[in-house]
Amino acid sequence: LARMVRRVHCAAATFKHWQVQNLEVIANLPFRLDLIAAADMLSEHPVHFFVFSQSRGSLMVEVKDFDMRVCVRSTGSMEVFKSKELSVATDALKALVPTLQCCAQWW
């Protein structure tokens, strides 16, 4: 947005008080996932994870330790939405990986 304002409106424009509001982080696992097994495994840890939506190709999981929502797809893609910090988003993804490895499909 800042580049567009500088290019289109005023090349001398500056931005002093800005902050990140919505950061999206995407990670790809090197394997596909069995989402039914993943939902069952994640539900066994209600203190840490909450599966609040499950469809044919994806799960929406809340990682309670980091208060982050992660979309996990059967292709092995994971996506964090609306994070303000990169470190919190990556930590939420790292918290999911050990549980998801048990549900890997290698074929």
Side-chain angles (χ1 to χ4, degrees), residues 16-33:
K16 293 181 181 180
H17 303 288
W18 62 273
Q19 62 183 9
V20 175
Q21 289 294 319
N22 290 320
L23 186 65
E24 186 175 313
V25 178
I26 300 171
N28 291 316
L29 297 171
F31 48 83
R32 295 182 59 84
L33 292 168

Side-chain angles (χ1 to χ4, degrees), residues 74-89:
S74 60
T75 60
S77 172
M78 300 188 302
E79 189 171 357
V80 176
F81 302 100
K82 297 183 180 177
S83 176
K84 290 188 176 187
E85 295 181 29
L86 180 61
S87 62
V88 175

Side-chain angles (χ1 to χ4, degrees), residues 10-84:
C10 178
T14 60
F15 300 89
K16 293 181 181 180
H17 303 288
W18 62 273
Q19 62 183 9
V20 175
Q21 289 294 319
N22 290 320
L23 186 65
E24 186 175 313
V25 178
I26 300 171
N28 291 316
L29 297 171
F31 48 83
R32 295 182 59 84
L33 292 168
D34 177 7
L35 291 182
I36 295 171
D40 292 342
M41 292 286 288
L42 293 168
S43 296
E44 291 176 6
H45 305 285
V47 174
H48 303 291
F49 306 113
F50 175 67
V51 178
F52 60 90
S53 174
Q54 182 176 359
S55 67
R56 187 172 150 241
S58 66
L59 293 174
M60 286 297 289
V61 180
E62 181 177 352
V63 183
K64 293 182 179 180
D65 296 341
F66 301 100
D67 196 28
M68 288 280 123
R69 290 187 175 184
V70 180
C71 178
V72 179
R73 293 187 176 83
S74 60
T75 60
S77 172
M78 300 188 302
E79 189 171 357
V80 176
F81 302 100
K82 297 183 180 177
S83 176
K84 290 188 176 187

